[in-house]
Amino acid sequence: MEWAGALFAEPTDALRAHFGIAEDRGVIAVRVDRGSAAESLGLSAGDVLLQVGRSRLSSLPDLIVAAEGAGHLGAKLQRGGQELWIVLPGR
């Protein structure tokens, strides 16, 4: 799924190994386009989105439902073992 200039995928074994991610939850930003809204808001490839708004994410359909038709949303992500909050634009 693409959103705001970032490509998201479910955390497969191969993606977790590639990005050094231990946990099997959320969805992974596998690509963040240079100059995109996602990059300007602080999202990086390898970040794991755990929550968007009030919705915890366990799959891509969860992200699609959380993002659909919404305005700007707070998003909880994991980066290098730390949890951070950023604001993502609505879809």
Side-chain angles (χ1 to χ4, degrees):
M1 172 194 169
E2 290 199 42
W3 181 19
L7 177 65
F8 296 93
E10 295 194 18
T12 63
D13 290 342
L15 284 175
R16 287 195 317 271
H18 177 75
F19 289 110
I21 298 167
E23 295 190 44
D24 186 18
R25 62 182 180 143
V27 296
I28 300 172
V30 295
R31 185 191 78 230
V32 178
D33 296 335
R34 217 170 239 209
S36 68
E39 182 189 53
S40 69
L41 295 169
L43 196 65
S44 299
D47 287 348
V48 180
L49 280 181
L50 303 172
Q51 183 175 333
V52 173
R54 294 183 180 177
S55 301
R56 291 188 180 175
L57 307 178
S58 60
S59 66
L60 281 175
D62 292 343
L63 177 58
I64 293 166
V65 169
E68 204 59 45
H72 284 68
L73 294 168
K76 183 179 181 180
L77 62 89
Q78 184 175 31
R79 177 185 296 153
Q82 293 187 326
E83 291 185 355
L84 311 166
W85 283 92
I86 63 171
V87 177
L88 293 174
R91 284 193 64 181

